[in-house]
């Protein structure tokens, strides 16, 4: 059961993933979470983030943004980068992840989801049968229930590391991305 919360890999940040290597492994599409994955919660994109997204596209990937946030927020975020997006995704509902793969026009096995939350991004991707990479969240320490959820996430990750039950991205461990 807890395996449903395990990502395929862990990376320090969405910006540090070796996308060329993912391409080599057969992936062609990336589903990016937005808040706390690409920018701090609610923040607009920046020239640096847009340049990064463009570089991922230049590596051969199609990109779609999948967010629990609303249309208005995503419209603002995509003002410059023009990326397609799915708002109000209600993660971990797998429907949004499946819709994202369809929007990319790819098989689910060709798609990888990059997000900062175990209970939404990773669980949803696993439910949809899509590989996932967990990244460290951007932004300030969140208090209250979200802070508690972060503590629960840390426990899940600790178990994941101990059991080493992670399934690897297309069965090949990607250097620098494994949580060890
Ligand atoms: Mg997020």
């Amino acid at each position: 059961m807890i395996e449903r919360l395990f990502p395929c890999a862990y990376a320090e940040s969405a910006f540090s993933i070796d996308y060329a290597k993912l391409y080599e492994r057969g992936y062609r599409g990336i589903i990016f979470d937005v808040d706390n994955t690409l920018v701090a919660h609610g923040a607009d994109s920046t020239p640096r983030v847009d340049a990064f997204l463009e570089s991922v596209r230049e590596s051969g990937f199609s990109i779609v943004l999948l967010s629990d946030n609303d249309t208005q927020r995503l419209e603002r975020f995509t003002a410059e980068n023009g990326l397609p997006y799915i708002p109000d995704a209600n993660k971990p509902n797998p429907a949004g992840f499946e819709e994202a793969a369809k929007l990319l026009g790819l098989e689910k096995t060709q798609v990888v989801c990059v997000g900062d939350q175990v209970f939404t991004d990773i669980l949803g991707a696993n439910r949809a049968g899509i590989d996932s990479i967990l990244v460290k969240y951007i932004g300030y320490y969140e208090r209250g229930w979200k802070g508690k959820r972060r503590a629960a996430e840390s426990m899940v990750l600790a178990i994941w590391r101990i059991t080493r039950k992670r399934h690897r991205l297309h069965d090949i461990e990607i250097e620098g991305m494994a949580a060890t």
Side-chain angles (χ1 to χ4, degrees):
M1 204 48 200
I2 195 166
E3 283 89 344
R4 298 282 255 175
L5 297 169
F6 292 168
C8 302
Y10 177 84
E12 275 298 300
S13 125
F15 306 95
S16 69
I17 293 168
D18 188 341
Y19 291 92
K21 213 149 230 178
L22 288 179
Y23 190 88
E24 265 175 42
R25 302 291 188 253
Y27 295 101
R28 294 295 180 267
I30 313 276
I31 300 172
F32 278 114
D33 170 53
V34 178
D35 290 315
N36 288 329
T37 293
L38 294 174
V39 291
H41 194 274
D44 288 342
S45 193
T46 64
R48 177 181 166 256
V49 172
D50 286 341
F52 158 74
L53 292 166
E54 186 53 34
S55 76
V56 175
R57 273 206 290 209
E58 279 168 7
S59 307
F61 290 97
S62 301
I63 298 173
V64 62
L65 307 173
L66 182 68
S67 176
D68 283 344
N69 223 317
D70 60 24
T71 306
Q72 212 181 4
R73 188 265 185 280
L74 287 161
E75 239 169 47
R76 277 205 335 267
F77 185 85
T78 56
E80 293 299 322
N81 57 53
L83 288 171
Y85 58 84
I86 299 170
D88 304 308
N90 195 25
K91 302 178 218 180
N93 188 330
F97 294 83
E98 280 156 11
E99 191 187 333
K102 272 198 196 120
L103 202 87
L104 293 168
L106 294 167
E107 296 296 323
K108 287 197 275 188
T109 52
Q110 296 178 292
V111 176
V112 62
C113 170
V114 177
D116 71 297
Q117 286 200 53
V118 161
F119 296 102
T120 56
D121 304 305
I122 306 306
L123 178 58
N126 282 338
R127 280 180 175 167
I130 289 173
D131 285 347
S132 59
I133 301 172
L134 181 73
V135 296
K136 204 180 265 183
Y137 65 94
I138 295 172
Y140 54 88
Y141 180 72
E142 290 166 292
R143 284 171 295 177
W145 71 273
K146 276 192 178 169
K148 280 180 191 148
R149 191 156 74 173
R150 292 294 181 193
E153 275 186 353
S154 302
M155 279 175 62
V156 170
L157 288 177
I159 295 164
W160 176 57
R161 286 173 179 131
I162 292 163
T163 60
R164 295 181 179 275
K165 270 198 173 169
R166 60 178 180 258
H167 81 266
R168 300 180 296 178
L169 289 162
H170 282 194
D171 291 330
I172 301 161
E173 191 108 17
I174 293 180
E175 211 178 310
M177 278 173 39
T180 47

